Amino acid sequence: MTQISTASGDIHPRNPWIAALFSFALPGLGQLYNGDLNKALWLFLGFVLIGCFPGVAIAALYVPAVLMLPLLVISVALTLGVWGVAIVDAWRGAARRLVYTRREWQVSGLYVLLFLVGSAFILVLRADVQQRMVQTFNIPTAAMQPSVLRGDWLFADKRYNCPGCKTAVAIGDIGVFVFPNDRTQYYIKRVIGLPGDRVSITSHNVVVNGLSLSRSEAAEGDFLVVTEQAGQHSWRVQWKNTGASRDFNVTVPPGQIFLLGDNRDLSTDSRQFGTVPLSDLVGNARQIWFSYGKDGIRWDRLGKVLE
């Protein structure tokens, strides 16, 4: 009987723990460690396409409001599923390779390089989606009550107020903009005046170009709740019943917009910091995807479309 010997330097059994750890760090990297290049590429691409794009973007921008939350949950579940499959498959694949001839390119430096390149690609892709399509924001104050509550997490449509965007800025939009007094922060307020508009506030009445936005008023506890309307937009704002009346008049300069918070006596807005450059309006608040208050999760607000 002839025994075939293999040089000890060519025998490199795959370690299941290392393979699983590699795929935990970056889906597909463990498969590459096992020598399965095709499977590595498909797992990595699946993780990127589901987890970075289009999962969140489609859920936030392209489906009816009633489907937003289910699609978002499905996207997250699929992302975690692909990740888990990659880890388990890497473990099992390594366990089957008790005798393995390592390829010349399978060196530690390559794994580190691919991890860095793959991670950078994911970060760049996610940043691009946030910059050009959709971004999430958490609301830390009550300045936009009753429309937007403290503790709401919402999607802002970034395909807004830009060259070629199909959605133009309109009175009544809930806009996300760069705060003029601290350009590291974003504020969220409602657009009330566009360039050239004349805005006046008397008592609880907001008038734009001589037309009142108020449609109805109702007392609710310590607040006077006013329904306002402009074009297709209709929304509710609140004033303190005991709040002192302060008249305000302004003509919005060219290239600027005038914004108010819906919680009129609490909000810091264009009445204090002035009008805002139209170019600093970066998104249109679209839909709430999560909401948490002092009593826990506000289930009735999940998926709510903002008016």
Side-chain angles (χ1 to χ4, degrees):
M1 181 177 66
T2 303
Q3 183 177 0
I4 300 176
S5 61
T6 304
S8 59
D10 293 334
I11 302 176
H12 298 272
R14 301 290 85 183
N15 187 316
W17 285 106
I18 293 178
L21 181 61
F22 276 7
S23 273
F24 175 79
L26 186 70
L29 196 59
Q31 283 68 29
L32 192 68
Y33 169 78
N34 291 336
D36 196 338
L37 179 59
N38 185 60
K39 190 178 290 185
L41 288 173
W42 281 112
L43 284 170
F44 175 73
L45 290 174
F47 180 78
V48 169
L49 292 176
I50 297 172
C52 304
F53 181 91
V56 173
I58 290 177
L61 301 177
Y62 298 108
V63 301
V66 69
L67 297 179
M68 184 277 292
L69 193 59
L71 185 58
L72 189 62
V73 172
I74 291 172
S75 176
V76 172
L78 287 175
T79 301
L80 295 176
V82 171
W83 200 356
V85 166
I87 295 171
V88 173
D89 179 79
W91 170 282
R92 291 178 175 175
R96 290 194 297 265
R97 289 167 170 79
L98 298 178
V99 177
Y100 179 80
T101 302
R102 188 176 64 185
R103 284 78 182 279
E104 293 182 357
W105 49 265
Q106 288 183 305
V107 294
S108 58
L110 178 65
Y111 297 130
V112 173
L113 177 63
L114 290 177
F115 171 76
L116 294 176
V117 171
S119 299
F121 177 76
I122 291 173
L123 291 175
V124 169
L125 183 57
R126 290 183 66 87
D128 183 65
V129 170
Q130 288 188 351
Q131 178 67 28
R132 298 190 304 107
M133 299 190 68
V134 62
Q135 187 172 350
T136 63
F137 291 93
N138 170 240
I139 308 303
T141 73
M144 280 298 291
Q145 289 183 189
S147 302
V148 183
L149 306 182
R150 178 190 286 117
D152 281 348
W153 290 79
L154 54 84
F155 286 124
D157 190 346
K158 303 294 285 287
R159 306 166 305 164
Y160 178 70
N161 187 36
C162 58
C165 290
K166 62 180 181 180
T167 305
V169 180
I171 294 176
D173 289 350
I174 300 178
V176 177
F177 60 96
V178 179
F179 182 44
N181 294 342
D182 183 354
R183 298 190 64 81
T184 66
Q185 294 187 25
Y186 289 106
Y187 267 34
I188 178 171
K189 306 292 176 185
R190 193 176 296 275
V191 178
I192 297 297
L194 300 175
D197 286 345
R198 301 185 310 277
V199 180
S200 63
I201 303 173
T202 303
S203 185
H204 302 134
N205 187 33
V206 178
V207 178
V208 180
N209 296 327
L211 299 176
S212 173
L213 300 183
S214 300
R215 294 295 177 266
S216 64
E217 298 182 359
E220 294 186 9
D222 296 332
F223 295 96
L224 178 69
V225 177
V226 179
T227 299
E228 297 180 344
Q229 183 175 350
Q232 300 299 316
H233 285 293
S234 178
W235 64 95
R236 299 198 314 158
V237 304
Q238 61 186 38
W239 303 78
K240 288 183 180 178
N241 277 326
T242 57
S245 174
R246 291 183 297 172
D247 291 351
F248 189 92
N249 292 276
V250 67
T251 297
V252 184
Q256 304 275 315
I257 52 175
F258 183 87
L259 304 110
L260 293 175
D262 288 351
N263 196 351
R264 295 286 162 80
D265 291 299
L266 179 65
S267 172
T268 299
D269 47 43
S270 287
R271 292 170 293 181
Q272 288 79 34
F273 54 71
T275 57
V276 173
L278 186 60
S279 59
D280 284 348
L281 189 64
V282 299
N284 184 15
R286 172 182 171 89
Q287 196 168 10
I288 297 168
W289 64 271
F290 186 72
S291 183
Y292 189 87
K294 61 181 180 180
D295 297 324
I297 298 175
R298 304 184 186 109
W299 295 101
D300 60 319
R301 294 187 64 78
L302 272 58
K304 177 180 175 61
V305 176
L306 296 171
E307 300 291 344

